[in-house]
Amino acid sequence: YPSIGLRIVDLSSNSIEPSTTALKFHSQYSTMQFTLNLSLLLIASVSAFAPANLSAPKVAQSALFMADGEGVQPVRIGTRGSPLALAQAYLTRKLLIEKYPELSEEGAIEICVMKTQGDMILDKSLMELGGKGLFTKELDTALLGDEVDICVHSMKDVPTWLPDGTVLPCTLEREDTNDAFISGDEDIQCLDDLPDNAVIGTASLRRQAQLMAKNPTWKCVNFRGNVQTRLRKLDDGIVDATLLAIAGLKRMDMDGCATTVLDWSEMLPAVAQGAIGIQCRSDDERSLNYIKGLNHEETFSAVICERAFLEALDGNCKTPIAGQARIVDGKIQFKGLISMPDGSVTFTTESEGEVADAVAIGKAAGEKLKADAGDKFFEMMVEMSPQQVIGQLPKKD
């Protein structure tokens, strides 16, 4: 799609082919279903996030042009191909154009779409597949191979370590970080309305642990796929309810499907939930200059605090971990949680300090919970099989 700066890039063993995506939009009293093919989905994303004027006059001596003057050197944005990932990539494109007028030139920005392993294997939990890096490895490879210039990520999917030669110096202003509760029954308007033995769809051990701590009779089943796929499963009656990040729903103008939004006391969100990060090569001054101009300082401080907490715990997909930081009256406030997958044992911590000490505050919180839980807690996590962790088998004695 050269006219909109869209390029499909296949960095997996499977080619990316057009497919039909079912989009379901819920409301409290009715459900409307729209089935669109991939090309229409991409066009819709463009309509939502492309600037009104893509043919602004060219800027002399623009950074877009190669040294020899032989054509445009576009900013190539790497992204996953899910509707949410595309919405975030086009949001980034929109912000770049607003900040740097020369990027409004036709062809100045390319969106390079690729599939990751995590996108292609949906019948297994993230823990069984090996963790969060499943959504970033292919993007990292493309970045280091100079196939893209920047990568746009949901920060909650990014491991606490980055490949050598890459940096993540920018986070966009954060959306609402809370989880949305979505019910398949109009008579069930909140978590407390769910009956005993209700079935809740979630691929998140963090959500599972906090749900089962509220009601051990509830059953959580693996629920992966993009937002539209999960809502379709809810419509089909596979589960009684599900939870999704309200930030993603808002970015796709789908927040109307949320039955209610849960506050931190009901469901503490994931580390870096609601934040978009932009990664580039550490030696790419051009890209660094562009994306640093988009950085939102308060979001950046909160996210590095949360990621320091996660790193101190050496968090993985076997351990339910939640952590959130926010800046209130010039101070950074942090709340963290770790739990057994069945919610039977939970440890929490809260702290506050100077924004400049964000990393130290997060690290100290993680170390405190690690000490409170003790070695046996984490040894049990390592020993548990995937089936035990996701609630398919009872725990070992």
Side-chain angles (χ1 to χ4, degrees), residues 74-308:
V75 176
R76 300 164 297 173
I77 300 177
T79 178
R80 295 164 55 200
S82 72
L84 176 56
L86 286 169
Q88 295 177 165
Y90 276 100
L91 172 61
T92 302
R93 177 180 185 268
K94 174 178 178 286
L95 294 174
L96 282 169
I97 290 170
E98 290 175 351
K99 182 78 173 177
Y100 305 104
E102 69 268 25
L103 294 181
S104 64
E105 299 176 33
E106 185 172 349
I109 299 178
E110 288 185 356
I111 305 292
C112 305
V113 182
M114 58 198 72
K115 276 188 177 180
T116 67
Q117 188 178 2
D119 294 314
M120 292 184 285
I121 305 174
L122 300 177
D123 59 344
K124 295 183 179 180
S125 69
L126 294 178
M127 190 214 71
E128 292 176 282
L129 291 175
K132 290 183 178 181
L134 291 165
F135 293 109
T136 59
K137 290 176 184 177
E138 287 80 1
L139 292 167
D140 290 337
T141 299
L143 187 60
L144 290 170
D146 196 22
E147 296 179 59
V148 297
D149 299 306
I150 64 176
C151 293
V152 178
H153 299 288
S154 292
M155 281 301 299
K156 68 182 181 63
D157 292 332
V158 179
T160 54
W161 54 268
L162 296 174
D164 291 341
T166 73
V167 290
L168 214 162
C170 171
T171 52
L172 304 182
E173 185 172 3
R174 202 172 199 174
E175 249 299 354
D176 185 341
T177 68
N178 293 323
D179 280 322
F181 172 75
I182 307 173
S183 168
D185 184 337
E186 63 181 37
D187 292 328
I188 297 175
Q189 293 296 301
C190 62
L191 285 175
D192 290 341
D193 290 341
L194 284 171
D196 288 349
N197 302 307
V199 179
I200 304 167
T202 178
S204 164
L205 289 182
R206 169 188 64 85
R207 290 173 178 142
Q208 172 184 296
Q210 293 182 76
L211 287 167
M212 295 185 72
K214 295 177 184 296
N215 188 330
T217 72
W218 290 343
K219 181 179 180 181
C220 294
V221 297
N222 189 40
F223 215 54
R224 291 194 55 220
N226 62 38
V227 171
Q228 290 78 11
T229 298
R230 298 186 201 193
L231 295 181
R232 184 180 67 245
K233 291 178 180 178
L234 179 61
D235 264 0
D236 291 343
I238 295 174
V239 296
D240 298 307
T242 189
L243 278 70
L244 294 170
I246 191 63
L249 296 174
K250 285 185 174 183
R251 288 180 183 131
M252 293 186 292
D253 293 324
M254 295 176 64
D255 48 310
C257 74
T259 304
T260 190
V261 178
L262 307 176
D263 61 32
W264 287 11
S265 65
E266 296 176 285
M267 181 65 58
L268 189 62
V271 164
Q273 185 160 303
I276 298 172
I278 308 178
Q279 178 188 18
C280 70
R281 291 180 294 278
S282 56
D283 61 356
D284 185 353
E285 291 297 328
R286 174 173 173 264
S287 295
L288 281 166
N289 288 335
Y290 276 139
I291 64 178
K292 281 182 178 179
L294 302 185
N295 187 50
H296 187 259
E297 289 293 343
E298 286 196 7
T299 299
F300 188 83
S301 296
V303 168
I304 62 174
C305 177
E306 294 163 23
R307 284 169 59 81

Side-chain angles (χ1 to χ4, degrees), residues 268-374:
L268 189 62
V271 164
Q273 185 160 303
I276 298 172
I278 308 178
Q279 178 188 18
C280 70
R281 291 180 294 278
S282 56
D283 61 356
D284 185 353
E285 291 297 328
R286 174 173 173 264
S287 295
L288 281 166
N289 288 335
Y290 276 139
I291 64 178
K292 281 182 178 179
L294 302 185
N295 187 50
H296 187 259
E297 289 293 343
E298 286 196 7
T299 299
F300 188 83
S301 296
V303 168
I304 62 174
C305 177
E306 294 163 23
R307 284 169 59 81
F309 167 74
L310 184 63
E311 185 175 21
L313 288 168
D314 192 24
N316 58 55
C317 286
K318 275 191 176 183
T319 309
I321 299 175
Q324 286 284 289
R326 56 188 169 194
I327 297 174
V328 179
D329 297 329
K331 300 285 187 179
I332 192 163
Q333 299 177 350
F334 178 80
K335 184 173 183 178
L337 171 154
I338 59 174
S339 175
M340 291 295 292
D342 63 1
S344 58
V345 180
T346 298
F347 298 91
T348 62
T349 184
E350 295 188 40
S351 52
E352 179 178 304
E354 299 298 326
V355 175
D357 299 325
V359 171
I361 290 168
K363 181 179 179 181
E367 290 173 345
K368 178 182 184 302
L369 286 191
K370 199 168 187 177
D372 289 348

